[in-house]
Structure formats: structure tokens, C-alpha cells
Amino acid sequence: MLLSDGDLMEGVSAEAASLAGHLKLGKLICLYDDNHITLSAATSMSFTEDCAMRFAAYGWHTQMLENGNDLAAIDRALHAAQAETERPSLLLVRTHIGYGSPHKQDTYEAHGSPLGHEEVILTKQALGWPVDPPFYVPDQALAHFRRAEEQGKRAEAEWDKRFSAYAQAFPVLAKEFQQRMMGELPHDWDRHIPMFQADPKGLATRVASGKVLNAIVHTLPSLLGGSADLDPSTHTALAGMGDFQVPHHEADNLQGSTGGGWSYAGRNIHFGVREHAMGSIANGLAVHGGIIPFTATFLIFSDYMRPAIRLAALMELRVIFVFTHDSIALGEDGPTHQPIEQLASLRVIPNLLVIRPCDANETAVAWRVGIESRDRPVALILTRQDVPTLDRTNLAAADGVRRGGYVLTDIPDGNVPDIILMATGSEVSLIVAVGRQLAQHQIKVRIVSLPSWELFETQPRSYRDSVLPPSVGARLAVEAGATQGWRKYVGNDGDVIGVDHFGASAPGKVLMRQYGFTVDDVYACAMKLINLKGQAWIDTRLSQQQETMGKK
Amino acid sequence: MLLSDGDLMEGVSAEAASLAGHLKLGKLICLYDDNHITLSAATSMSFTEDCAMRFAAYGWHTQMLENGNDLAAIDRALHAAQAETERPSLLLVRTHIGYGSPHKQDTYEAHGSPLGHEEVILTKQALGWPVDPPFYVPDQALAHFRRAEEQGKRAEAEWDKRFSAYAQAFPVLAKEFQQRMMGELPHDWDRHIPMFQADPKGLATRVASGKVLNAIVHTLPSLLGGSADLDPSTHTALAGMGDFQVPHHEADNLQGSTGGGWSYAGRNIHFGVREHAMGSIANGLAVHGGIIPFTATFLIFSDYMRPAIRLAALMELRVIFVFTHDSIALGEDGPTHQPIEQLASLRVIPNLLVIRPCDANETAVAWRVGIESRDRPVALILTRQDVPTLDRTNLAAADGVRRGGYVLTDIPDGNVPDIILMATGSEVSLIVAVGRQLAQHQIKVRIVSLPSWELFETQPRSYRDSVLPPSVGARLAVEAGATQGWRKYVGNDGDVIGVDHFGASAPGKVLMRQYGFTVDDVYACAMKLINLKGQAWIDTRLSQQQETMGKK
């Protein structure tokens, strides 16, 4: 791996290098292109730390090379790095940017801009190269790269031969290896995923998620991941599946061990408090193949790993990012820990699939979708607090998550609803309760669960219009987060109950009440939208209602 | 400053500590609360680097303290740290979490949860404290803190005395100091801000921003800032105003120096490739007071410093975040560098003021707003590419930026427009051109520049409705970024031309053409919206048009 000054200055390299040293990743070899020049300046303007000492502090093996053009010395150093199997290796190689250019060598002008026609000629002359042709490849270099091609072919043939022998000796394992590298799932990988019984008290979706994870881990050997020092909070520990650590005796007794022993076969990665590196490492695992990596932290800390999430989306990687503690309802940790804009900020990343399930059974489906999704990362947004496990005998099945949004409950006669209430996550049970109250007042109400905008958008228009009929203007969306983006679903005549300001330090229930996430508040807002339909409409409804009351 | 294991693991601490060492910030003293326990585990699970060596590599002075309860030793170490003026100091203090608790000491259970009633009693007994009262403050501790109060009063009185003497000797400087600490601006701080002449070729708003910055730096001594190794690209160097560096001879000759010598009075900070630390340092400068800090990098890298931007917004800090290279139009650097969702992601942060000016004169007003804004951070979103400097003799004044959105040009007769085109930044000159073409076809078009949603939202409804009359449903927004959030301005019957996918590697102009940011594409989209008004309407318009043509 090649590193620049910029890479070493960015915090993510410090996080990753510290963990690599801790894990004694002896196969990792990095070459630092130490040219003393950044994009805009000499490194002496901003970067004067002792890199060799810093990496030694991380537990790395380091070698200084004074001349980046001394290929034999670099070759020797690479061999020494390969021989070192207990520590990652850093080769600090002194180079010269724009090497050979009479006017641009060792200047930042050579960083971002081409040398230019004239300077290219001067450089070639200085290096004793022919000026023509303009794109000149020395025979020696060509022969060297051609040899590499041959070497690659031989290595591949050798690998194929060894794999064939392996497949003959261990046909089941070989097939599993191939399937995993192809990204295919085992036949019935999801057979242990539980059905959660209806329960008004319910459980937090982070807890449901933990149960699902620990159900699939046994049938899905590709699954590997962990949290940024939050296992007890994110419920993402894979119990008894071993810690990804340097093999060690008595390690299970260590605080934080997930059980099952320390080894490189352990399936729990302890990333430490390093969100950015966590996301980047998960991306690397996904690129490697054979692994379905997951990460976990609080939703607020998605901000710390945003560049990694974006790269996963851009590179179409299969990574599952678990984010718990997903709203102001997390309570006393206060505004620094309460996500407001994070959900909207994740939804706006192209190709990232965001799912905020409303109860335990939607959480199970969200995990299915996440594992099945091959060419895009998935962010699962989960509650800290308990949410009711909805009684699906009266409501649509949680499998509706697959379509992103679905009608959870509707007016019985199939008429056009007076109003549509929609929500995600912890606010769905709230609108279900409001819907019950509205129905008592003869309002025809439809309740929509909308756990994933991205999945909903991929549905045909006919389906989307069947869930949110264009003829119904009275629409109310409820979500404990920023309202940005909801207008596309509620339209000109609808409204959104959200949180467009920072939170506060108080128990979660107090905050939810304070910010309007109560049956009374949502009911009042729904009635306001309905009242916009005009007095005639209300009079009709009221007379209908009085008739019904009279009958009782 | 107190540091935890988590702080030392997070990349931002590596960035900041490296820069602090480079800058030889001898006044900085940090105590590392080294308790061997993180939130969820023993540090031996994930964090085993040699912190003392790492900080020595950064150029810090380090001291190890084996017993966090040995107050005399800590006091001696603090004095040694104060005596060390050439290097920042780290005291690595071995402590025990939950000290004295028989069952919870040295466990992660003591990190996030209270000890509980019973364990508190056991702890008090173990420490030889009385069990009652429940909230017991030993007399010795009380006396100690009371002494601190006295000391503080004496120190303040002493400071006041010295400041009075200073004010008598240097009345002008003393007044300036007080004004700066109060956050007040000098009387005519903005008198050198240029008016930019109309120019169809124009200039990039990053270049205009650089001219404004270098105009106000002389009248605004509080202004201090820099970029994350991007001075030549962000145009944020304050020419000749000195580099914030350890005093050094001949430093002006060093590549990247902004001129004016190296010293702690230098007003250019070279943050290196450290966006997260850059944002955090700017926040610290704002909290200190007396300084109006600014930072600069590419818009895409706002992702790297998002936690710092959020804190600035939450803490209501006066920080100006400059972001250039603001769309796919930056070109060849490709999708990793092309911002798509960043604008929407910044707009959704509560209390952050985002301004994307459309030309040089709007950029000048944006800077005025930014400097004047006392209790919220401001993000300035600027182009890499040239944009025309609009001819304001035919258009509304750029001062409209102060209201967030304003009618740039309208149908002459004041009638209700057939369609409203709105845009921000580089897309405003595009809709102006489309508007001209629509007008040629007798369409009554209104052009709205909408550089800041947040400022627009703070306007009274009457003003907002005057800019975007509710009666006009045909509305088209054009912005080279994610469309999320625009629906609130275009409504059910409008449309948005944006970019909801990642970019590509090609020249900026090619990409803009490819993704529909051309006069023809926007014109076609506008006509489609108008055609939705129905055939009768079109027939009327066409006959009007033919009449006009006949007259010519």
C-alpha cells in the first residue's frame, strides 16, 4: 500500500494504523512516499512529526530508505518487511516529486498540475532520455512489466492447481469458499430468524436486531463485524463466536470479550473508538470478498464515518452499517448525542439504502434485505428505547419493508381515505394509536409505514400511487428527525411533524412529549389538515358521527 | 485539558496533537485519564499503542504518573509541564475507574452506569467514608474548593488592575481588545470590499471570495484562518499577513508561505491535510473570543469535518467555513471529489447558515453576512469554475442575498408569472439565459436567486410569498446537487433539475452538459411544466406569440 503525507496527516490513518499494530497484522506493508511536499507547501509548513517513531509507538516495524530511486534497497526492505510476520511494516522512502524536472522537482507545482510541454522536454534531457516519442517507454521498463504479466499467469496457474487439489480433498469447504467469494448466500441462511410475538411493551429495535444477528451468525459464516466500543449498547456482539484478536490464552476472561476465544478466526472485531477506520476497514473487507462485514455505533457518530459510508455507496460495496440510539428519545446524553439531521443526511447519499424499521418484525426483514443486498451498502437505523411489537393479525405483514413503504392499516371498506398518516421507526406505533383515535371520530384514516425511502422509490409508480394516492392531499408524516425531504411525500397540502432544532438533556419520554410526539399533538395536527377540507366536509362528517353515536 | 482512551483513539486527536507539536504550543497541557477501561471493554481489547512514544513522536513533552491519587506528584508534573514552554505536554496518569468500589472498580460497568445504591454504600465503607449523608462532601474538599473561589477572585482583581494600567498606557489598543472580545466589528470594516463589474466571462466565486477576503483582512484584525493544505485552490491565503508558525528566519522563502514572516502573530494557519482538526481548532478559537476564525477546503471534504461543523452550530459559534469546488463542474478529479449530497447535508444541520452565491457580487454580500453573523456558523459554498458576473443594471442588486432568496428579474408588467425558475450558485446564470429564451416565446417568467434557504426561511411569510407566489404552480429549481429538500419550494406541480447519483471523471463542462445543465434541457423542462397548464392555455399563448411575430 502506498501512503502520502496527506494520508499520514488524516486522522483515519492514525485510527487504522493503531488498530493494525494492536492486531499484529504482519502481512500489511505500507510504503510512505516521503517527498517533503504537499499539495500547497513544503511539509515543514505543517507536518514535522517523527513518522517512524509514531508508527513504532503503534507497534509497527519501520525502515528508513534514503533514496526512493534505489530499487535494490527497496526490494531488500520489502523482503525484510515480508519476513516480519508479527508486526505491520512501514517503509519510509525519501523521494523527490517531479524527479528530474529542472524547474519543478521538489515543488508543489508538480503535485496537481502537469509539467507542461517545455518542462517535459527539459526533464527528459536532464534524465538522458530521448525527447521523442512524446510518450516514451524504455525497453527495459517494457520488458519488466511484460515479465510481471508472465509471473502473474504462473502464479494464477499455480493457485488454480492448488485449489483443485484442495477441492478434491475438501469438496464441501471448497464449494463454500467459492460461493462466499462469489457473494452467494447459503441456501437457508435465514432459517433461524425469529418471529416476534405481538407485545404492547415490545422491545427496542436494537435489541431485536441483536437477536436476529445472533440467529443468522450460525448459518452465515461470511458475517464478520463489530462496533466502535459499543457492544453492550448496539447489541451487535456475536455471542461465543470468538474475538478477532492475536491468539492469546485466557482471553475470554478479559472484559469485553465476546467468548469463543481469541484468534484470527474470531468473528467479532473490536474496532475501538474509531468510527472512521471502522467504516473504512469494513469497506476493505467487502472489497476483499468472501465476507459480509457489518459495523455498529450510535447514529450520531455516523458523522464521524461519513466519508467511509460514501465510498461504500460509490464503490457499490456490500456493507451493513448498524446505527442505534436513533433519535432524541435516547434521552439524557443530550444534544451532542441526539441525532437530528443524520437520517436525512444518510438518505441523501446516492446508492445507500437506509432502513428504519418500526418494530422487531420489521427489524428482522430489514436484516434480510441488508444481507441480500449485494451491490449497495445498507444503513439500519435502530432505537435505543422499547417500541411495541405490532400485532400483525390486524395489520399488514412486516414483509412490506421490502417495498420500502406499505399500508399498515386502512379503512375497512376500501374507500378513499380522508387522511394518510405515515411514519418510520419508533413513530409508527404512535401514528397507529392516533389512527385508532381518528377512526373513533369517523375519520377514514390510512396508516403507512415507510421504513425505506430508497426501496419505496424503486417501486413502480402504480404501487407508490396505491400506497399514497395522489387524490388524497391530507397527509401527515411523523418522524423524530429533521423534516428535510418529507415534503415530496406529504405534498403541498400535507404537513410534517419532525425536529428541526437540536435536542436537550432530559429523559427520552419527556423530550418526545415536549417536541410534540404524543397522540394528542399528532391528532390535533391531523385534525387541522382535515379541517382544511372546509366546513361543508366537516358538517357532513359530524352528522355521520352523530348518527353513529345515536345508534350505540 | 482532560483526555480519555476514546479521545486518544479518535483520529481527530492525532490530527490536532500532530499540529500542536509542529506549532510548539508550549502552553497546552493535557492529562490522559489512563484507566485501562473503555465503555465496553479493557483497553487491551483494542488500544495497546505506546501513547507516550506516540506523543513524543509528535514533538510533545511527556510524563508518566503511576498513581492518579498522588496529588502531590500530579502537582509537580503540572509545574514541570508549565515550565516546558517549547512543547505541549501530556501527563499520562494511571487511574482506576470506579475507584474504591469493591465490585465495580476497574470495570466498564462503572463507565456508563451509576454504581447503584448498595455499591455506593460499599464503596464509601471501603474508602472509610461515612455512609450518611448520601451526598457527602468532606470538609477538606469543601475548604479546597472554597479556596479556589478566593484564588479566582484575586486573580480576576489582579487582571483587572493590570488591564486598567494597560488601558491607560494604550487606550486605543485596549479599546480594540475589548471590542474584539465582545465580538464587535470595527466601524467600517467592509469599506474595501470591491464592487465587481458585469462581465459575461466572469470569475469563479472562489476567486471573488479570495479578493473579498484580502480586502477585509486589513480592516478586520480579528480575522484568522487558513485551509487544509489547499491555499492555491481555495483562494483563502491572506497575502502578506504572516504565517502562524514558530518564529523562524528566512521562512518566507519556504514553499507555501503566505508572506509577512513566521510568528504567532501570523494570520494564516496552515492546518495540513487535517479537516476534522481544522474545524475543531476553529471552534476553539471562536470559543476563546477575540477572533473570527475561518477554514477552507473542498466541499466534498466537509464530510471529514462534519462533527466539528455540527458542534459549531450547536454551540452557536461564529466560524466561517469556506467550501470551494462545489459541484460536478469541478471536473476531472472525478466522483470521489465531486460533491453531490454535501449541500443538502449541510443545509439540514440546525443553526448552520449555508450560502451559495451565484456570482462575484453575491459572494461579496455572502462574506458580509458571514462576518456579521454572531451566533451561528456560516458555510460559504463556492465554485471552482468561472461564472458570469451578472449585469445588475438589468437585475436586482446582489444585496438580496441578505434575504436568502430574491427576484432577480421579472416580467416587466408585474403580472403573475407563467413560471418561476429558481437556482443557486453557478446555476443562476443558466436560468437567467433560459429565462431570456422563454421570454422570447412570450412566456412570462420570473427568475429567483435562492442562495440561502436558512436566510429565506427567516423572512416573514409575506415576503416569501411575494418571491414565490402560492398561485404559481409551475416552478422549476435548478441546482447541480442532490434534489432532497427542494420540493418545499417547487411544490407538487413543479420540478427539480439536480444530480441524485455520483458524478464521473470528465471535464466539468462535459458533465454539466451530460447531466442536463444546459439552456436547451432546462428550457425543455420548463416548457413541459408550462404545458401541464393545458392546451387552451397554450393556444392562447401561441396566438399571442404569432401576433407579436406578425408585428415585427
Side-chain angles (χ1 to χ4, degrees), chain B residues 531-544:
Chain B
N531 287 347
L532 291 178
K533 288 167 180 267
Q535 198 55 46
W537 186 89
I538 295 170
D539 291 343
T540 319
R541 267 281 172 279
L542 283 177
S543 67
Q544 283 175 352

Side-chain angles (χ1 to χ4, degrees), chain A residues 406-430:
Chain A
Y406 62 105
V407 178
L408 197 59
T409 174
D410 209 358
I411 37 174
D413 55 3
N415 276 352
V416 176
D418 299 324
I419 187 167
I420 301 173
L421 303 185
M422 61 190 93
T424 75
S426 47
E427 286 67 68
V428 170
S429 57
L430 172 62

Side-chain angles (χ1 to χ4, degrees), chain A residues 117-300:
Chain A
H117 181 68
E118 208 162 310
E119 189 69 15
V120 166
I121 290 174
L122 293 174
T123 305
K124 286 184 167 183
Q125 287 169 342
L127 293 170
W129 281 31
V131 170
D132 284 314
F135 194 79
Y136 170 69
V137 180
D139 291 340
Q140 201 188 347
L142 187 66
H144 180 78
F145 280 99
R146 288 274 151 80
R147 266 203 307 282
E149 205 180 322
E150 284 306 313
Q151 277 174 0
K153 280 182 187 160
R154 273 200 306 277
E156 188 179 356
E158 170 64 17
W159 192 91
D160 286 343
K161 206 174 118 189
R162 287 171 62 189
F163 187 76
S164 294
Y166 177 80
Q168 215 137 20
F170 308 99
V172 176
L173 286 174
K175 197 176 163 208
E176 183 193 325
F177 173 79
Q178 283 179 313
Q179 281 184 329
R180 283 181 57 174
M181 292 307 288
M182 297 286 287
E184 286 164 15
L185 299 172
H187 171 56
D188 50 359
W189 67 274
D190 57 352
R191 68 176 182 275
H192 296 311
I193 292 184
M195 272 286 289
F196 296 89
Q197 296 306 309
D199 178 2
K201 188 188 168 297
L203 68 170
T205 51
R206 63 171 170 149
V207 175
S209 162
K211 290 179 193 290
V212 173
L213 248 184
N214 279 283
I216 61 180
V217 67
H218 300 281
T219 46
L220 198 58
S222 307
L223 199 65
L224 174 72
S227 75
D229 188 37
L230 284 171
D231 277 4
S233 305
T234 55
H235 287 253
T236 44
L238 306 173
M241 301 307 285
D243 298 293
F244 186 91
Q245 295 276 11
V246 179
H248 188 280
H249 296 294
E250 302 177 283
D252 279 2
N253 296 330
L254 245 171
Q255 289 184 62
S257 271
T258 33
W262 282 27
S263 79
Y264 291 133
R267 290 169 64 187
N268 291 281
I269 304 179
H270 300 273
F271 291 102
V273 191
R274 304 180 180 103
E275 296 83 8
H276 195 167
M278 174 170 71
S280 306
I281 291 165
N283 290 352
L285 293 171
V287 169
H288 177 278
I291 290 163
I292 301 178
F294 71 90
T295 69
T297 185
F298 293 165
L299 178 55
I300 193 74

